[in-house]
Amino acid sequence: MRSEFSLLGLSMSLSRGDVENIAHLARLSVTDAEVTVYANSLSSILALVEQLSATDVSDVEPMAHPLAGQVQRLREDEVTAIDAREKYQQNAVKVDAGLYLVPKVIE
Amino acid sequence: MSQLHTKTLSELAKGLKSREFSSVEVTGHFLNRIQKFNSELNAFITVTADSALHQAAAADALLANGKGGVLTGLPLAHKDIFCTDGVLTTCGSKMLSNFIAPYDATVVSLLQQAGIVTLGKTNMDEFAMGSSNETSYFGTVKNPWNLNKVPGGSSGGSAAAVAARIAPAATGTDTGGSIRQPAALSSLTGIKPTYGRVSRYGMIAFASSLDQAGVMCLSAEDAALLLQAMAGFDPKDSTSVNDPVPDYSATLNQPLKGLRIGLPIEFFNDGLTPENAKPVREALAEYEKLGAQLVDVSLPNISLSVPTYYVVAPAECSSNLSRFDGVRFGYRCDSPRDLMDLYKRSRGEGFGAEVKRRIMTGTYVLSAGYYDAYYLRAQKIRRLITNDFANAFKQVDVLMGPTSPTPAFDIGAKVDDPVTMYLNDIYTIGANLAGLPAMSIPCGFISELPVGLQIIGRHFSEAKLLNVAHVYQHSTDWHKRIPQRYA
């Protein structure tokens, strides 16, 4: 990616190439017209986000959970889900013999 | 029977219990109104008329035997973000326009167990990303107070359905204001509970550290009834909190004498015009009459809540929405050349513009070399904002201010300018970042458009918020106003 985030007067504007690269990382097809629109709007969002750079956060612990003291519970490693494969596969575009079909991956 | 739709959920509950009318009659009345008005409002994506009438008949059988709980036989609409077993669940997206949910969200099954009749699934901004209900694949929802205006978002279909009295109550979800802002713009009572109070299981994820389910209805009394059935521990949601749920209805009438109301000075600064502040100030004066004390407080970092949110929420959304790959469920593009083409075109064609914008924002802020500068920094500022709230709550019991900087705006007015749209949530996002419960209640009108008063409380203080809202609603009647067309 070309643009650099600097906390002091950065260039926040994204080029078409930046947007094409982000879209590829996000696995999104984008048209030429969309690239132009996203270059503009993502740049304005980054300009909004740039407000965060003025605050001194050197001694601040990042917040991983909105409730103090709460941690993610872990459950016992045992089977709890019922087998509902047939039901789930009713939502699939292409299945055969219980398998989800995709384009050939290995030549 | 013609006036059933003007009743609150609590009033309908009494009538059902006394057999003044039946659940089939009530349900049929709302289904008729949906048929009559939904085409102009676009509030519902799916109407489940047949199953609703079956559920109503079953409820009537219980009620006839003197059985059933307080919610038995009452109709309600679900935001189309909640999975409903065997029923189309779209999340407002082309991506899920063919998705029949294979199970019920915990919220759906809890309400169903309590006897609620489901009228259908309401329209919403695509994947709950929006503040105007204009990003839905199923079209814009209209505001019943003025059909040229937005109803707010993302729970805009739920808001319009209840405001037009084509449903007596509806579920919603709130990631940055998506219950409170549409409640304000549509003159409803809406509550976003504390993060973790209501299960997120089966609620299609947008930003998992911010998402929370709640209700939109006609009064705090109604909200207490519904929240009672929805709140509680769910082992299926790893962030669900295992604390007892108080009796929300029991404390509704507690007097407000001595209540300390904090007014964040940052909520009343230049960003709020005197005209838009007026109904809020009048509501605060009413609270003073009720014995409360107004105290100025400061949330020094609150102005950073919108930029913080637009790092954290897109980051979490880009991760959550990576599951939509066109393979096992959801939209798949025509004749993919290879697997990469299948991923890219299924996602590119299946997601709308705003969702793609947020996925890309999230992908960018999480990408190699940028994580510390954006995501980590935002999570640190999130803590500063949370600390500001904690400091304010050392001095006061609740915080009050506007829900939205303006009343409902014109459809189309802000769609081309995402940052302007994002600033609609300037007063609501803070509560999501800090995980706090918050409400919006009707407090007046500006140019015949509703205005909401926001009430924010300490963690798990839903009972206090509902009490504070209910006492105000006992002495005012803003929440009883009905748009003339739907009276």
Side-chain angles (χ1 to χ4, degrees):
Chain A
M1 265 174 244
R2 186 189 58 91
S3 316
E4 302 225 346
F5 184 97
S6 86
L7 296 181
L8 305 163
L10 66 156
S11 87
M12 283 161 302
S13 100
L14 295 181
S15 69
R16 293 179 58 87
D18 291 332
V19 172
E20 283 164 359
N21 188 27
I22 298 166
H24 170 71
L25 291 173
R27 299 296 184 265
L28 290 168
S29 63
V30 280
T31 63
D32 280 355
E34 282 178 312
V35 171
T36 309
V37 171
Y38 287 127
N40 288 331
S41 61
L42 292 176
S43 297
S44 63
I45 292 166
L46 293 179
L48 171 79
V49 166
E50 168 62 11
Q51 290 173 34
L52 300 181
S53 64
T55 305
D56 179 10
V57 292
S58 45
D59 295 329
V60 184
E61 269 294 295
M63 198 167 132
H65 193 291
L67 299 178
Q70 293 281 343
V71 287
Q72 294 251 324
R73 278 177 294 106
L74 297 176
R75 65 168 176 81
E76 292 302 310
D77 184 19
E78 18 182 75
V79 177
T80 54
I82 49 157
D83 179 9
R85 185 173 71 175
E86 279 179 30
K87 192 173 185 186
Y88 293 164
Q89 290 200 332
Q90 287 169 7
N91 275 304
V93 177
K94 276 190 179 171
V95 286
D96 186 33
L99 303 172
Y100 294 93
L101 299 190
V102 294
K104 201 168 169 185
V105 180
I106 302 164
E107 294 300 323
Chain B
M1 209 59 69
S2 63
Q3 290 310 303
L4 280 177
H5 59 276
T6 64
K7 293 184 189 298
T8 65
L9 213 55
S10 312
E11 290 163 353
L12 289 171
K14 283 195 192 94
L16 286 175
K17 273 272 175 272
S18 66
R19 308 307 289 152
E20 186 190 331
F21 38 77
S22 70
S23 175
V24 168
E25 284 167 334
V26 174
T27 302
H29 182 72
F30 281 102
L31 288 171
N32 285 340
R33 287 182 62 81
I34 292 170
Q35 195 162 26
K36 186 170 171 192
F37 293 117
N38 191 51
S39 56
E40 69 186 38
L41 293 165
N42 200 25
F44 278 84
I45 292 173
T46 303
V47 181
T48 51
D50 289 347
S51 68
L53 289 169
H54 277 117
Q55 291 167 356
D60 281 332
L62 280 176
L63 291 163
N65 291 324
K67 291 183 188 149
V70 65
L71 295 180
T72 301
L74 293 171
L76 170 135
H78 281 298
K79 184 177 182 178
D80 208 15
I81 198 168
F82 291 101
C83 284
T84 40
D85 195 358
V87 175
L88 185 68
T89 299
T90 70
C91 221
S93 182
K94 180 180 179 184
M95 181 59 84
L96 291 175
S97 55
N98 59 359
F99 179 68
I100 309 294
Y103 62 91
D104 279 327
T106 296
V107 161
V108 171
S109 50
L110 286 174
L111 287 171
Q112 199 167 322
Q113 284 159 28
I116 282 281
V117 170
T118 304
L119 293 170
K121 310 290 294 292
T122 58
N123 205 340
M124 54 182 285
D125 278 302
E126 184 178 4
F127 284 101
M129 298 173 199
S131 307
S132 65
N133 219 120
E134 293 171 289
T135 73
S136 170
Y137 176 64
F138 299 90
T140 301
V141 177
K142 312 288 168 55
N143 189 320
W145 292 93
N146 179 334
L147 296 175
N148 298 315
K149 306 280 182 185
V150 302
S154 68
S155 311
S158 289
V162 182
R165 301 329 194 246
I166 64 175
T171 53
T173 59
D174 191 316
T175 305
S178 284
I179 287 175
R180 290 161 286 156
Q181 185 257 12
L185 271 46
S186 306
S187 202
L188 301 177
T189 299
I191 182 163
K192 174 201 99 70
T194 308
Y195 182 81
R197 180 77 290 185
V198 174
S199 171
R200 295 182 296 110
Y201 178 76
M203 189 177 111
I204 296 169
F206 159 16
S208 302
S209 79
L210 303 162
D211 295 342
Q212 180 61 191
V215 292
M216 308 173 75
C217 50
L218 299 176
S219 68
E221 190 182 14
D222 288 1
L225 290 182
L226 290 169
L227 194 57
Q228 200 73 53
M230 291 162 65
F233 177 63
D234 180 9
K236 290 174 177 166
D237 173 358
S238 68
T239 58
S240 173
V241 172
N242 197 356
D243 281 351
V245 179
D247 183 341
Y248 294 125
S249 299
T251 49
L252 283 176
N253 287 303
Q254 278 184 0
L256 301 187
K257 192 164 168 51
L259 180 81
R260 287 164 304 160
I261 299 174
L263 310 181
I265 51 175
E266 294 81 3
F267 283 7
F268 294 90
N269 63 11
D270 302 343
L272 187 68
T273 65
E275 192 200 10
N276 289 331
K278 192 165 169 266
V280 175
R281 298 236 182 246
E282 286 168 358
L284 295 171
E286 182 65 31
Y287 273 105
E288 277 191 299
K289 274 195 229 160
L290 292 165
Q293 220 183 312
L294 305 182
V295 183
D296 280 340
V297 295
S298 177
L299 303 170
N301 295 289
I302 197 71
S303 68
L304 296 176
S305 59
V306 175
T308 300
Y309 180 87
Y310 279 98
V311 174
V312 174
E316 294 182 9
C317 118
S318 73
S319 167
N320 272 325
L321 271 59
S322 63
R323 76 192 58 181
F324 298 104
D325 58 4
V327 174
R328 285 157 302 176
F329 63 102
Y331 176 81
R332 180 185 287 196
C333 66
D334 281 338
S335 1
R337 287 189 309 276
D338 52 28
L339 202 54
M340 183 61 93
D341 186 46
L342 181 146
Y343 292 149
K344 282 192 172 179
R345 279 200 296 125
S346 296
R347 290 165 61 78
E349 294 165 16
F351 291 133
E354 180 59 26
V355 171
K356 284 189 274 193
R357 179 160 28 244
R358 297 209 194 180
I359 291 174
M360 286 197 278
T361 306
T363 303
Y364 181 73
V365 299
L366 290 177
S367 57
Y370 293 82
Y371 176 87
D372 284 5
Y374 286 111
Y375 191 72
L376 192 65
R377 171 167 282 267
Q379 291 287 46
K380 290 179 176 181
I381 293 179
R382 184 176 182 183
R383 181 172 302 281
L384 295 179
I385 292 168
T386 304
N387 291 346
D388 287 351
F389 278 109
N391 285 330
F393 283 123
K394 285 177 191 162
Q395 306 167 57
V396 297
D397 302 307
V398 295
L399 298 171
M400 286 192 191
T403 305
S404 166
T406 65
F409 45 91
D410 285 341
I411 290 169
K414 300 185 184 182
V415 277
D416 294 328
D417 184 355
V419 169
T420 303
M421 187 70 90
Y422 296 170
L423 293 173
N424 283 307
D425 297 332
I426 190 161
Y427 303 123
T428 48
I429 280 174
N432 299 86
L433 291 172
L436 299 165
M439 290 186 78
S440 181
I441 58 172
C443 72
F445 289 79
I446 297 171
S447 309
E448 297 174 42
L449 290 170
V451 177
L453 172 75
Q454 186 177 204
I455 314 170
I456 306 173
R458 297 186 180 106
H459 289 123
F460 301 103
S461 68
E462 287 81 4
K464 175 56 75 183
L465 293 186
L466 292 163
N467 163 225
V468 167
H470 177 72
V471 173
Y472 174 82
Q473 292 183 335
H474 198 66
S475 68
T476 57
D477 67 354
W478 299 115
H479 63 296
K480 292 182 179 164
R481 306 289 177 92
I482 304 178
Q484 207 171 6
R485 188 177 173 78
Y486 307 100

